[in-house]
Amino acid sequence: MQLPPLSFTVLDTETTGFVPRVNRVIEFASIRVEGGAEMDIYEQLFSIPVEIPLPVQVLTRIKQDTLKDQPTLESCREEILSHIGSETIIVGQNVSFDLKMLKGEGIDLTDRPWIDTSMLASLVFPELASYSLGYVSRILGLRHDPVHRALGDVHATLELLSRCWERLVALPPDLHAVALAIMERSAPGYRLLFGTLPPPTAKAVPLWLTPPKPAERERVRTPKFAQAAFEKPNAGTVALVEEPLDPATLEELLHWAVTDPSTVQWIAVKNLDATLRRTTIPKEVRVLHHPSFLLDFEAAKIFAKQEVYTADESTLALKLAWYEPQTFHDLPIHGEERAIWRGKLACTDTSNAYVRQFAELPSVVLLDHRQLLHFLIDPTHTAHGSLSANAHIIISDASMLEDTASLAYGWSCTLDDLRAASEGELSLTRFTDLLQLWIEKVRLAQDSHPIGKQDLTMPEVTALKEMIDGLLSEQRRTDTVETQLRSLRQILDPTLLPGRIAWIEQRQNGSQFIKSIPERISTILGESLFSPYPTTLLIPPASADHLPEIIPQDFTAHSLPTPVEDLPPPIFVEPSGRVESFLETIPQGKTIILVPSRRIIEGFFITHTEKLEEKGVTLICQNLSGGQERMQAEFLATSGSCLWLLTPWTYEGVELPLGSVDHLIIQSLPFDHPSYPVTAKRCEHYRNAFEQYTMPRLRHRLFRLLRTFCRHRTKAGDVRVLDERLETKEYGRTVAAYLRALGGTSSTLKPPPIRKKASSELKPTSTKKPPMKKPPGTEVKDQLSLF
């Protein structure tokens, strides 16, 4: 192995959870390296006074009996420190977690220089789809034994450091120079590492810094559907066109649209970034990126001049210099760099990079729902000068319009973004700390908690509003931070609460949000979108009369005949089916199983992981197998049978290539959670909320799930829905008929056994995104010179 000429110790822990001082360290391992040679190897289990949670026992294979007669970590503290060494740099994968857990056990290494290999890997391995140690080990062929244990992770981390070092020493002079200039301002560990780089000898830019050419994709021809979608209605009228399950029809829409220059077609999609990754965009189409995904070059210049960087700021700064991005997705961004981007680098509605996109628009414009809806209600927005009298607005994925409009018309503040922006700013740090205390006091440890008037009359809120006013008066914040502070100021005003739904939400990764949205959005949609502009909504089949919260009751909407040319997957309704049968008799190929809750997923994980591993089957479970990017990457990297358990809500956002999934199994009907603040409040609008609101949203979600599967499936991919209510309840039988209609002639009452994967099926294609087309009028910016 080629290693940096430093004295360092690679370490890893296995723990009972993620919270220092609450959860415990049950294993520690380390390898100390001096002069490029391994000088010391150490591993030790520790007894603890509490039970190891069952999921942790499965993840680590450390059982309660394994810790019997083992010493306590406290008794081994000096021994651990002696193996680490007193003058070494600490190295680890996501090492900040290990340092926090060790500090919770009384071993404080946080003042020592440290290096995070996951961040290093994201710098020099941009081609990787995930930077989890398991995935990186598999793709790069790293030594990772013993599996599931701390020493195995240490072996893999040491080899990953070596691979990263090999790429760093191969940098040409200009990239080498900017790396040194940035890392001189970084945290001590990175400063020491980059300071030992040898003088550059390479001449050319390495291949890994050269973006690949996009793969050619076969176009799907659906001219009759495209013709229906572009039949322009009169202003003040909404045309409803049924979308097919085949999502490739959007590409045909774009190619069809550019043939008619007489009308400016504004095509809005739910997720613009995902659309760009999987769709070939004609060169005549203008893509309007959301401001939060665009780099504000003026903010980047300020960022480049920072005298001191945190570790994550320095890796992001180096990526800005090396990769010269224009959007968030042009970077191999990782970890806390996301919050730094949003807090310090992203555009706002008034940023030059964002405004330039609207200059000299062609006849076809592609953007996302939220951006379109947001600027339609803002008369000062630059887009209003671009919406000409011959505009025709087409909204794809219109069943999501309630949710995306709620976000577009809402106010939101993200605690992670404020925390990232507060680095080096004492007043903003104090404010963020007080906001955090108020959030914890109000939400009562709940994942989502509605904000009531009593919460907004607390003394802490008065102090927070005064602090916001003071922060805004300083006039030295980035536009992104100012936007979030102004939104929060409105949320905290009790006089603005009537007619709105406000709540605190904590995501699975611990991120916290404060949000407020209008209680009723159909009126806003009618006034800002449907009345002034000819609008076509692309909707799921048989839903023209079931668009609650989208089309106002007094509004004219008509359905156009849609001759859908579709080849849907077989959809089998199995009311008596059980997920357990698919975990015991393994389907051939790759299977995605949608389970209604994380608690149920955890139960399957505990019961089946080790049994499946003995059979050579990979089980991937939401919340227990890392984040979404890691799960996607590991699902694609698995060569044998694989089962992926996740919730339907998560699956809607999964991005996999065509030909990668053989079977989709839906355990139960994916109803909205009735206690979620938005659902609970909007149900109050209806006399029969179940029939008028809940059931239409269920059918829409089922359609979107099937459409997502159509983007991922093999040619013979099939769907099975197992809920017994499909047979025992009247509404269930209605849903079963809807599903069979979506499946067409390929669906039958009696499903065949899941078959072996045929060799003739489509092979997974690359998920690597093509290089971004630069917006017109954007000059080439040499970001190397900034630093």
Side-chain angles (χ1 to χ4, degrees), residues 423-670:
E423 286 288 344
E425 290 205 29
L426 184 58
S427 57
L428 187 56
T429 299
R430 287 173 175 167
F431 169 79
T432 307
D433 290 341
L434 179 60
L435 180 61
Q436 175 89 69
L437 291 172
W438 176 76
I439 287 173
E440 297 303 330
K441 189 174 182 178
V442 170
R443 76 180 186 93
L444 302 174
Q446 296 176 334
D447 287 346
S448 61
H449 185 84
I451 297 174
K453 188 173 182 179
Q454 70 280 2
D455 301 315
L456 299 180
T457 55
M458 296 168 63
E460 293 92 335
V461 172
T462 302
L464 285 169
K465 290 189 291 187
E466 291 174 355
M467 293 176 77
I468 292 174
D469 294 340
L471 289 168
L472 291 174
S473 68
E474 294 175 7
Q475 297 183 340
R476 57 187 180 87
R477 310 285 162 203
T478 64
D479 290 344
T480 305
V481 172
E482 281 203 13
T483 299
Q484 297 224 21
L485 290 174
R486 293 185 190 280
S487 291
L488 182 59
R489 184 65 172 81
Q490 292 174 296
I491 295 172
L492 297 179
D493 187 343
T495 66
L496 300 179
L497 188 59
R500 300 188 70 87
I501 306 168
W503 76 101
I504 296 168
E505 184 172 334
Q506 177 162 307
R507 299 279 173 83
Q508 298 170 23
N509 61 3
S511 297
Q512 293 178 326
F513 303 80
I514 308 169
K515 298 184 179 183
S516 173
I517 62 173
E519 185 177 333
R520 295 182 181 272
I521 61 163
S522 59
T523 302
I524 306 175
L525 285 170
E527 294 173 353
S528 63
L529 174 61
F530 302 145
S531 291
Y533 303 105
T535 305
T536 297
L537 303 184
L538 307 185
I539 61 175
S543 62
D545 298 326
H546 304 283
L547 296 169
E549 302 294 326
I550 295 177
I551 298 178
Q553 292 183 354
D554 58 351
F555 213 84
T556 302
H558 67 272
S559 300
L560 295 177
T562 314
V564 173
E565 303 147 286
D566 211 357
L567 293 174
I571 302 171
F572 303 115
V573 175
E574 300 183 49
S576 60
R578 296 168 58 251
V579 166
E580 289 82 354
S581 64
F582 297 97
L583 294 170
E584 293 161 2
T585 305
I586 312 303
Q588 292 290 329
K590 295 188 176 183
T591 303
I592 287 179
I593 303 177
L594 305 185
V595 181
S597 75
R598 297 175 304 204
R599 178 184 56 81
I600 296 174
I601 293 174
E602 182 178 289
F604 286 138
F605 176 81
I606 292 168
T607 306
H608 293 280
T609 296
E610 293 179 74
K611 296 176 185 177
L612 290 171
E613 189 173 280
E614 291 173 359
K615 298 177 181 179
V617 177
T618 300
L619 179 64
I620 300 172
C621 291
Q622 181 178 331
N623 269 40
L624 297 157
S625 302
Q628 182 174 314
E629 288 182 355
R630 173 179 172 181
M631 291 189 291
Q632 290 174 177
E634 294 192 354
F635 183 79
L636 292 173
T638 301
S639 56
S641 293
C642 181
L643 302 169
W644 183 3
L645 275 60
L646 67 165
T647 63
W649 300 270
T650 301
Y651 181 59
E652 280 193 59
V654 165
E655 288 296 322
L656 297 170
L658 182 66
S660 56
V661 185
D662 296 286
H663 314 288
L664 175 68
I665 298 167
I666 304 175
Q667 183 186 24
S668 65
L669 297 177

